Structure formats: structure tokens, C-alpha cells
Amino acid sequence: MTELNLESMALASGVVETIIALAAAEVEGVAAVGSASSSNPFALFASKPSTQGIEVAVNEDEKLDVSVHVDVYYGHVLPDVAANLRAAVSDAVASQVGAEVGSVDVFIDGISFVR
């Protein structure tokens, strides 16, 4: 995503994705945002969360369409994790950016057996 312009405010590429990554990481049952198996080992030492696996686009209604790829811990009910993830992302974007979210598509790419 390139720069996002909302009501006389411009957000640099990656700002919304970072907010989404932080919100997703707080959802119970989410093991990793993006694919844990393909993540960079140096990302563990980064001060900023990885935005790998997150895509944001502005639709024709001027709402944000979000796609989030996650790994989920074994034992959690997948539809419940997806619903909680959708709510967390929508709330975080609405409260911190002031943008309306049109959709949040959740892709569960894997199951993690290690906590």
C-alpha cells in the first residue's frame, strides 16, 4: 500500500499495517501474523512488528479492505479466532486512524503447536 490520505492527513506506507499487526498479535489464539515458518529470524530483534502477511486497500466506498494472514495455536476454535481478529482489527483502525473498515479477510495459514 502506498500513502493513504484521510481527511487532510497523510499516512506513510506501513503505518496502518503496523497498527493491524499489533492488534492481531493481541488476539487470543494468534501465534504469529504472517507465516511463522517463513518469517525472518532477525525479526525477533526488531523494535517494530512485522507487517508481513497484511494487505490494505481502499475500496470504491473509501473504506479499507484488509487481508491478514495468521498462524493459530492448536486447540483454539478457528472461527472464534477469526471473528475476534476481525473485531480487533476494525476497532484498532477505527480508533487510531479514524478510517472505516469495509472488510477484514482472515487467512489461517498454519497451526502452531508450540507456545
Side-chain angles (χ1 to χ4, degrees):
M1 178 177 158
T2 58
E3 189 175 273
L4 176 66
N5 293 303
L6 299 168
E7 299 178 17
S8 73
M9 174 178 64
L11 299 173
S13 177
V15 171
V16 176
E17 290 90 341
T18 300
I19 291 168
I20 293 167
L22 290 169
E26 295 294 318
V27 173
E28 185 177 349
V30 172
V33 178
S35 177
S37 60
S38 66
S39 49
N40 182 349
F42 296 108
L44 295 172
F45 305 107
S47 60
K48 179 180 158 185
S50 172
T51 58
Q52 176 186 359
I54 298 173
E55 298 172 12
V56 179
V58 179
N59 66 24
E60 46 290 330
D61 296 330
E62 298 295 318
K63 295 180 182 178
L64 300 182
D65 291 332
V66 178
S67 296
V68 182
H69 292 258
V70 296
D71 287 353
V72 175
Y73 287 118
Y74 175 78
H76 287 270
V77 179
L78 300 181
D80 292 348
V81 173
N84 293 338
L85 186 55
R86 284 186 191 97
V89 167
S90 294
D91 291 346
V93 170
S95 67
Q96 295 182 43
V97 179
E100 236 183 298
V101 176
S103 67
V104 179
D105 296 325
V106 176
F107 297 90
I108 298 174
D109 292 339
I111 302 292
S112 177
F113 296 96
V114 180
R115 285 190 189 243

